[in-house]
Short mmCIF file of all heavy atoms in Angstrom, two decimals:
data_model
loop_
_atom_site.label_atom_id
_atom_site.label_comp_id
_atom_site.label_asym_id
_atom_site.label_seq_id
_atom_site.Cartn_x
_atom_site.Cartn_y
_atom_site.Cartn_z
N MET Z 194 109.05 99.31 99.05
CA MET Z 194 110.20 98.43 98.96
C MET Z 194 109.80 96.95 99.25
O MET Z 194 110.41 96.03 98.73
CB MET Z 194 111.34 98.86 99.93
CG MET Z 194 111.94 100.18 99.56
SD MET Z 194 112.71 100.24 97.89
CE MET Z 194 111.33 100.87 96.90
N ARG Z 195 108.81 96.79 100.06
CA ARG Z 195 108.25 95.41 100.28
C ARG Z 195 107.59 94.86 99.04
O ARG Z 195 107.55 93.68 98.80
CB ARG Z 195 107.31 95.40 101.48
CG ARG Z 195 108.10 95.59 102.79
CD ARG Z 195 107.28 95.59 104.02
NE ARG Z 195 108.09 95.57 105.25
CZ ARG Z 195 107.72 96.04 106.36
NH1 ARG Z 195 106.50 96.53 106.59
NH2 ARG Z 195 108.58 95.97 107.41
N VAL Z 196 107.08 95.75 98.20
CA VAL Z 196 106.61 95.33 96.86
C VAL Z 196 107.81 94.97 95.99
O VAL Z 196 107.80 93.91 95.30
CB VAL Z 196 105.76 96.48 96.17
CG1 VAL Z 196 105.35 96.02 94.80
CG2 VAL Z 196 104.54 96.83 97.00
N ALA Z 197 108.84 95.80 95.99
CA ALA Z 197 110.02 95.55 95.17
C ALA Z 197 110.65 94.20 95.47
O ALA Z 197 111.12 93.53 94.56
CB ALA Z 197 111.01 96.68 95.30
N GLU Z 198 110.64 93.80 96.74
CA GLU Z 198 111.29 92.54 97.13
C GLU Z 198 110.36 91.40 97.24
O GLU Z 198 110.71 90.30 97.61
CB GLU Z 198 112.05 92.70 98.44
CG GLU Z 198 111.22 93.06 99.63
CD GLU Z 198 112.08 93.34 100.89
OE1 GLU Z 198 112.94 92.51 101.19
OE2 GLU Z 198 111.84 94.42 101.54
N GLY Z 199 109.07 91.57 96.80
CA GLY Z 199 108.14 90.49 96.69
C GLY Z 199 107.34 90.10 97.90
O GLY Z 199 106.53 89.19 97.88
N VAL Z 200 107.53 90.90 99.02
CA VAL Z 200 106.81 90.57 100.23
C VAL Z 200 105.34 90.99 100.07
O VAL Z 200 104.46 90.23 100.46
CB VAL Z 200 107.48 91.37 101.42
CG1 VAL Z 200 106.64 91.16 102.70
CG2 VAL Z 200 108.89 90.90 101.61
N TYR Z 201 105.07 92.18 99.54
CA TYR Z 201 103.72 92.65 99.30
C TYR Z 201 103.48 92.51 97.75
O TYR Z 201 104.38 92.60 96.95
CB TYR Z 201 103.56 94.11 99.64
CG TYR Z 201 103.63 94.40 101.11
CD1 TYR Z 201 103.69 95.74 101.56
CD2 TYR Z 201 103.66 93.43 102.12
CE1 TYR Z 201 103.75 96.04 102.89
CE2 TYR Z 201 103.70 93.71 103.40
CZ TYR Z 201 103.73 95.08 103.85
OH TYR Z 201 103.82 95.32 105.16
N GLY Z 202 102.21 92.32 97.45
CA GLY Z 202 101.84 92.22 96.04
C GLY Z 202 101.61 93.60 95.40
O GLY Z 202 101.73 93.76 94.18
N GLY Z 203 101.24 94.59 96.22
CA GLY Z 203 100.97 95.93 95.62
C GLY Z 203 100.97 97.03 96.72
O GLY Z 203 101.03 96.71 97.92
N ARG Z 204 100.87 98.22 96.23
CA ARG Z 204 100.86 99.41 97.12
C ARG Z 204 100.04 100.49 96.37
O ARG Z 204 100.26 100.73 95.20
CB ARG Z 204 102.30 99.88 97.41
CG ARG Z 204 102.40 101.30 97.93
CD ARG Z 204 102.14 101.46 99.40
NE ARG Z 204 102.49 102.79 99.88
CZ ARG Z 204 102.10 103.21 101.07
NH1 ARG Z 204 101.35 102.49 101.90
NH2 ARG Z 204 102.45 104.39 101.50
N ILE Z 205 99.19 101.19 97.14
CA ILE Z 205 98.36 102.27 96.59
C ILE Z 205 98.47 103.44 97.51
O ILE Z 205 98.46 103.30 98.74
CB ILE Z 205 96.94 101.86 96.34
CG1 ILE Z 205 96.80 100.82 95.20
CG2 ILE Z 205 96.03 103.05 96.07
CD1 ILE Z 205 95.45 100.22 95.08
N ASN Z 206 98.58 104.63 96.92
CA ASN Z 206 98.55 105.86 97.70
C ASN Z 206 97.94 106.98 96.88
O ASN Z 206 98.38 107.23 95.76
CB ASN Z 206 99.98 106.25 98.09
CG ASN Z 206 100.05 107.28 99.21
OD1 ASN Z 206 99.09 108.03 99.42
ND2 ASN Z 206 101.14 107.31 99.99
N MET Z 207 96.93 107.57 97.38
CA MET Z 207 96.22 108.64 96.64
C MET Z 207 96.77 110.04 96.97
O MET Z 207 96.36 110.98 96.33
CB MET Z 207 94.74 108.62 97.00
CG MET Z 207 94.00 107.31 96.55
SD MET Z 207 93.58 107.32 94.82
CE MET Z 207 91.89 108.04 95.02
N THR Z 208 97.65 110.12 97.98
CA THR Z 208 98.14 111.44 98.38
C THR Z 208 99.66 111.40 98.60
O THR Z 208 100.10 110.81 99.57
CB THR Z 208 97.49 111.88 99.70
OG1 THR Z 208 96.04 111.75 99.58
CG2 THR Z 208 97.81 113.36 100.00
N SER Z 209 100.38 111.98 97.68
CA SER Z 209 101.85 111.96 97.79
C SER Z 209 102.42 113.11 97.00
O SER Z 209 101.71 113.79 96.22
CB SER Z 209 102.45 110.65 97.35
OG SER Z 209 102.35 110.49 95.98
N LYS Z 210 103.74 113.34 97.17
CA LYS Z 210 104.43 114.38 96.43
C LYS Z 210 105.56 113.76 95.54
O LYS Z 210 105.79 112.57 95.66
CB LYS Z 210 105.06 115.40 97.41
CG LYS Z 210 104.04 116.17 98.23
CD LYS Z 210 103.21 117.06 97.42
CE LYS Z 210 102.30 117.97 98.27
NZ LYS Z 210 101.44 118.83 97.44
N ILE Z 211 106.14 114.59 94.74
CA ILE Z 211 107.13 114.07 93.78
C ILE Z 211 108.29 113.32 94.53
O ILE Z 211 108.75 112.28 94.08
CB ILE Z 211 107.73 115.16 92.95
CG1 ILE Z 211 108.57 114.61 91.81
CG2 ILE Z 211 108.40 116.27 93.73
CD1 ILE Z 211 108.91 115.59 90.72
N TRP Z 212 108.67 113.81 95.72
CA TRP Z 212 109.75 113.16 96.47
C TRP Z 212 109.35 111.85 97.10
O TRP Z 212 110.23 111.09 97.53
CB TRP Z 212 110.32 114.12 97.54
CG TRP Z 212 109.22 114.79 98.35
CD1 TRP Z 212 108.49 114.34 99.35
CD2 TRP Z 212 108.77 116.18 98.14
NE1 TRP Z 212 107.58 115.25 99.76
CE2 TRP Z 212 107.74 116.41 99.08
CE3 TRP Z 212 109.17 117.23 97.30
CZ2 TRP Z 212 107.09 117.63 99.15
CZ3 TRP Z 212 108.55 118.40 97.37
CH2 TRP Z 212 107.50 118.66 98.29
N ASP Z 213 108.06 111.57 97.12
CA ASP Z 213 107.60 110.25 97.60
C ASP Z 213 107.63 109.20 96.56
O ASP Z 213 107.43 107.99 96.81
CB ASP Z 213 106.13 110.38 98.11
CG ASP Z 213 105.99 111.34 99.28
OD1 ASP Z 213 106.79 111.27 100.24
OD2 ASP Z 213 105.03 112.16 99.24
N ASN Z 214 107.91 109.61 95.33
CA ASN Z 214 107.75 108.69 94.17
C ASN Z 214 109.02 108.34 93.42
O ASN Z 214 109.20 107.18 93.07
CB ASN Z 214 106.73 109.29 93.17
CG ASN Z 214 105.28 109.24 93.80
OD1 ASN Z 214 104.58 108.27 93.57
ND2 ASN Z 214 104.87 110.24 94.46
N VAL Z 215 109.87 109.33 93.15
CA VAL Z 215 110.91 109.12 92.15
C VAL Z 215 111.91 108.02 92.58
O VAL Z 215 112.11 107.03 91.79
CB VAL Z 215 111.70 110.43 91.92
CG1 VAL Z 215 112.91 110.16 90.96
CG2 VAL Z 215 110.77 111.48 91.25
N ALA Z 216 112.43 108.06 93.77
CA ALA Z 216 113.42 107.03 94.21
C ALA Z 216 112.79 105.67 94.27
O ALA Z 216 113.34 104.72 93.69
CB ALA Z 216 114.02 107.42 95.54
N PRO Z 217 111.63 105.45 94.98
CA PRO Z 217 111.07 104.11 95.04
C PRO Z 217 110.54 103.62 93.66
O PRO Z 217 110.60 102.38 93.43
CB PRO Z 217 109.94 104.21 96.07
CG PRO Z 217 109.59 105.66 96.13
CD PRO Z 217 110.85 106.42 95.83
N GLN Z 218 110.13 104.56 92.81
CA GLN Z 218 109.64 104.12 91.51
C GLN Z 218 110.70 103.39 90.70
O GLN Z 218 110.43 102.30 90.18
CB GLN Z 218 109.12 105.32 90.66
CG GLN Z 218 108.69 104.91 89.28
CD GLN Z 218 108.02 106.05 88.54
OE1 GLN Z 218 107.56 107.01 89.08
NE2 GLN Z 218 107.98 105.96 87.24
N ILE Z 219 111.90 103.92 90.57
CA ILE Z 219 112.94 103.26 89.79
C ILE Z 219 113.34 101.97 90.39
O ILE Z 219 113.63 100.94 89.66
CB ILE Z 219 114.17 104.16 89.57
CG1 ILE Z 219 115.17 103.58 88.66
CG2 ILE Z 219 114.80 104.59 90.86
CD1 ILE Z 219 114.69 103.30 87.26
N ILE Z 220 113.28 101.85 91.70
CA ILE Z 220 113.65 100.63 92.39
C ILE Z 220 112.60 99.52 92.09
O ILE Z 220 112.94 98.37 91.71
CB ILE Z 220 113.79 100.81 93.91
CG1 ILE Z 220 114.99 101.77 94.17
CG2 ILE Z 220 114.03 99.44 94.59
CD1 ILE Z 220 115.11 102.22 95.63
N VAL Z 221 111.35 99.87 92.19
CA VAL Z 221 110.30 98.92 91.86
C VAL Z 221 110.31 98.54 90.38
O VAL Z 221 110.23 97.33 90.07
CB VAL Z 221 108.87 99.52 92.25
CG1 VAL Z 221 107.77 98.69 91.61
CG2 VAL Z 221 108.73 99.61 93.75
N GLN Z 222 110.53 99.47 89.51
CA GLN Z 222 110.57 99.16 88.06
C GLN Z 222 111.69 98.24 87.79
O GLN Z 222 111.56 97.31 87.02
CB GLN Z 222 110.68 100.48 87.27
CG GLN Z 222 109.38 101.24 87.30
CD GLN Z 222 109.55 102.57 86.54
OE1 GLN Z 222 110.58 103.18 86.52
NE2 GLN Z 222 108.44 103.11 86.03
N GLU Z 223 112.92 98.51 88.39
CA GLU Z 223 114.12 97.70 88.12
C GLU Z 223 113.95 96.35 88.78
O GLU Z 223 114.66 95.36 88.35
CB GLU Z 223 115.34 98.40 88.54
CG GLU Z 223 115.74 99.52 87.64
CD GLU Z 223 116.07 99.08 86.23
OE1 GLU Z 223 116.88 98.12 86.06
OE2 GLU Z 223 115.55 99.62 85.25
N ALA Z 224 113.02 96.18 89.73
CA ALA Z 224 112.75 94.88 90.32
C ALA Z 224 111.63 94.14 89.53
O ALA Z 224 111.17 93.06 89.96
CB ALA Z 224 112.32 95.03 91.73
N GLY Z 225 111.26 94.73 88.40
CA GLY Z 225 110.23 94.05 87.58
C GLY Z 225 108.79 94.45 87.77
O GLY Z 225 107.90 93.89 87.17
N GLY Z 226 108.57 95.52 88.57
CA GLY Z 226 107.22 96.00 88.83
C GLY Z 226 106.75 97.14 88.04
O GLY Z 226 107.53 97.70 87.24
N LEU Z 227 105.50 97.49 88.23
CA LEU Z 227 104.96 98.70 87.56
C LEU Z 227 104.63 99.70 88.65
O LEU Z 227 104.24 99.40 89.78
CB LEU Z 227 103.64 98.29 86.86
CG LEU Z 227 103.74 97.28 85.76
CD1 LEU Z 227 102.39 97.01 85.14
CD2 LEU Z 227 104.65 97.85 84.60
N TRP Z 228 104.86 101.03 88.24
CA TRP Z 228 104.57 102.15 89.13
C TRP Z 228 103.88 103.21 88.27
O TRP Z 228 104.48 103.84 87.41
CB TRP Z 228 105.86 102.77 89.69
CG TRP Z 228 105.68 103.79 90.75
CD1 TRP Z 228 105.11 105.00 90.58
CD2 TRP Z 228 106.10 103.68 92.16
NE1 TRP Z 228 105.12 105.70 91.77
CE2 TRP Z 228 105.71 104.90 92.71
CE3 TRP Z 228 106.70 102.71 92.87
CZ2 TRP Z 228 105.97 105.16 94.03
CZ3 TRP Z 228 106.90 102.99 94.23
CH2 TRP Z 228 106.60 104.20 94.79
N THR Z 229 102.60 103.25 88.43
CA THR Z 229 101.75 104.24 87.68
C THR Z 229 100.93 105.11 88.59
O THR Z 229 101.02 104.96 89.83
CB THR Z 229 100.80 103.48 86.74
OG1 THR Z 229 99.80 102.85 87.60
CG2 THR Z 229 101.48 102.42 85.91
#
Side-chain angles (χ1 to χ4, degrees):
M194 293 302 92
R195 286 179 175 157
V196 177
E198 61 185 311
V200 176
Y201 293 171
R204 162 80 172 166
I205 291 172
N206 196 333
M207 296 278 270
T208 309
S209 69
K210 297 293 187 182
I211 190 169
W212 44 79
D213 298 314
N214 289 270
V215 174
Q218 177 173 340
I219 184 63
I220 296 170
V221 168
Q222 289 176 331
E223 287 297 308
L227 297 178
W228 188 295
T229 68

